[in-house]
Amino acid sequence: MEEEKSEEKALRKKVLVVDDEYINRQLLGNIISREYEVLYAENGKEALDVMREHRRDLSLVMLDLIMPEMDGTQLLEFIQKDKTLSAIPVIVLTADKSAEVESLKIGASDFIAKPYDMPEVILARVKRIIELAENRQIVQAIEKDALTRLYTPRFFFDYARQMEALNPEEEMDAIVLDIERFHEVNVVYGRKYGDRILKRVAEMLQMILTLEKVLACRAGADRFYLYCGKRDDHASFLNEILQGVPELRENQWTGLRMGVCPAGYRDLSMEDRFGRAGYACDSLRRKEGLLVAVFDDALLQGKERADKLKEGLRYAIDEGQMVVEYQPRFDISGIEP
């Protein structure tokens, strides 16, 4: 029986109550301990120690603003600057109505007014904030690629469409970047080396993101998408990216290719634009040097021929029109068994 209770307690989510007044800590603890494991701290410094110790399994902080040593406002500001703690939601506890808006601006998720005379409301708000934070973490986990922290294709296309809708007059290029012979690089130098290249490329794209309106995505093992303002000199842009990735500049095994679907194809869907940019990028396979291909009518005709050939081959297979012919390599007719 004791083991079952201990296991049940271990599975419960943890909530930290921070208040310098003992009676307030006990009041809140009694309310939320029905559904959560409660941790306590008397001031901001003590709370910070508890948060660091339980940063991986702490679901919520309930924070009083007026405390000695480090008050709630100071702690809240510190939490928002700390990457290891900023994902933990904070509910501010205050009787001062004027402090509520300021706390929300600093980064609080919600506030609960003193005195604590509505236990069911408090419990409901705690549950709601924890659920919202967990949902946000789930979205963030699938929104960004784990290695590069760039958008995944699903979210990238959604955000690109939103950007286009908000800026209907702005001309935008759809760009595909591809790392040449990336599989061979992984085989020869190891996956850690390959991951370092991917991270370097992503870092350069992130740097560009801070300077202008650009969306970036890791679209595959060695492929990136960029949705950015129209450019006249794509080769210089590619070279700018390459300068930040010494592993690509100095390694004869690999290189960087760029395919562009220019702004003139705006009547196509976002996915089709990047499909054309990808086709332009693939047309450069196994070619040497700093490579850029812009999708145009000539490439379009080639794509249409290739698509037609693929469709014809698929139809021939489905209709049983393909015949397998075996070409003999050795004559064994005179060999005795």
Side-chain angles (χ1 to χ4, degrees):
M1 191 69 175
E2 290 297 326
E3 289 182 3
E4 289 180 3
K5 287 183 178 179
S6 177
E7 184 176 345
E8 180 183 346
K9 184 178 180 181
L11 293 173
R12 298 174 84 187
K13 294 169 183 173
K14 293 184 175 69
V15 174
L16 171 62
V17 174
V18 188
D19 197 315
D20 62 321
E21 294 187 19
Y22 174 81
I23 187 64
N24 286 338
R25 293 198 302 273
Q26 292 306 305
L27 281 171
L28 279 176
N30 289 337
I31 292 170
I32 62 178
S33 61
R34 307 177 207 173
E35 297 191 18
Y36 302 97
E37 180 183 347
V38 186
L39 308 175
Y40 297 97
E42 296 183 15
N43 57 63
K45 288 186 177 180
E46 187 178 324
L48 200 53
D49 292 337
V50 177
M51 290 183 71
R52 285 169 172 161
E53 181 182 352
H54 295 275
R55 64 184 181 277
R56 299 186 186 279
D57 59 357
L58 188 61
S59 296
L60 177 69
V61 176
M62 304 184 74
L63 178 63
D64 184 30
L65 291 182
I66 302 174
M67 296 182 297
E69 294 192 56
M70 177 189 281
D71 66 29
T73 301
Q74 292 172 320
L75 178 59
L76 190 56
E77 290 174 342
F78 185 93
I79 291 170
Q80 297 310 307
K81 295 175 183 177
D82 190 321
K83 292 182 179 179
T84 64
L85 303 178
S86 59
I88 303 172
V90 177
I91 293 180
V92 165
L93 311 170
T94 180
D96 181 5
K97 294 261 182 207
S98 63
E100 294 170 358
V101 174
E102 190 60 33
S103 299
L104 293 173
K105 287 181 180 179
I106 296 173
S109 300
D110 199 357
F111 59 87
I112 292 175
K114 295 180 180 181
Y116 311 129
D117 54 358
M118 301 181 70
E120 296 304 322
V121 172
I122 291 172
L123 198 57
R125 293 178 84 160
V126 167
K127 185 176 181 180
R128 170 179 162 274
I129 293 301
I130 290 176
E131 287 177 349
L132 287 174
E134 290 174 345
N135 289 340
R136 184 170 63 250
Q137 289 169 7
I138 290 171
V139 169
Q140 289 173 346
I142 62 175
E143 181 185 51
K144 300 286 183 72
D145 172 63
L147 178 67
T148 64
R149 304 311 300 160
L150 299 178
Y151 287 120
T152 56
R154 172 187 168 187
F155 284 87
F156 172 81
F157 284 123
D158 284 345
Y159 293 147
R161 281 188 284 267
Q162 291 176 29
M163 181 183 286
E164 183 173 64
L166 292 171
N167 304 276
E169 304 303 320
E170 194 163 346
E171 294 185 298
M172 304 289 285
D173 288 338
I175 295 176
V176 170
L177 289 173
D178 201 272
I179 301 173
E180 181 72 36
R181 302 183 184 92
F182 187 69
H183 175 70
E184 288 93 329
V185 170
N186 272 333
V187 171
V188 174
Y189 294 96
R191 189 166 294 278
K192 285 186 178 179
Y193 183 85
D195 286 350
R196 188 160 73 244
I197 292 176
L198 294 172
K199 287 180 180 178
R200 295 259 196 194
V201 173
E203 286 168 4
M204 286 304 298
L205 299 182
Q206 291 282 18
M207 190 180 300
I208 295 167
L209 296 181
T210 62
L211 301 176
E212 55 183 287
K213 288 182 180 178
V214 179
L215 285 177
C217 162
R218 184 185 177 193
D222 57 358
R223 179 159 286 199
F224 298 86
Y225 289 169
L226 278 175
Y227 185 62
C228 60
K230 180 181 177 181
R231 294 174 181 272
D232 297 321
D233 189 355
H234 294 97
S236 295
F237 184 36
L238 181 60
N239 189 52
E240 180 185 346
I241 298 169
L242 194 60
Q243 291 309 306
V245 191
E247 292 84 356
L248 291 179
R249 291 200 320 270
E250 300 163 4
N251 195 318
Q252 295 180 350
W253 277 82
T254 187
L256 198 61
R257 303 190 308 268
M258 176 183 286
V260 183
C261 181
Y265 289 89
R266 190 165 182 165
D267 57 320
L268 298 175
S269 71
M270 195 65 66
E271 288 81 357
D272 285 344
R273 275 177 262 177
F274 279 92
R276 279 163 168 71
Y279 184 83
C281 189
D282 291 341
S283 71
L284 299 168
R285 285 186 184 278
R286 304 297 176 181
K287 295 181 181 179
E288 301 298 330
L290 192 65
L291 301 170
V292 177
V294 179
F295 193 86
D296 56 14
D297 290 341
L299 275 176
L300 178 60
Q301 291 172 8
K303 183 178 186 306
E304 289 173 346
R305 284 195 299 270
D307 290 345
K308 189 174 182 179
L309 181 61
K310 288 178 184 178
E311 187 61 33
L313 184 60
R314 192 176 296 113
Y315 176 81
I317 293 172
D318 292 343
E319 294 298 314
Q321 296 176 359
M322 304 295 289
V323 178
V324 179
E325 296 283 354
Y326 294 97
Q327 180 182 2
R329 300 290 299 276
F330 302 99
D331 183 3
I332 62 172
S333 59
I335 299 177
E336 295 182 3

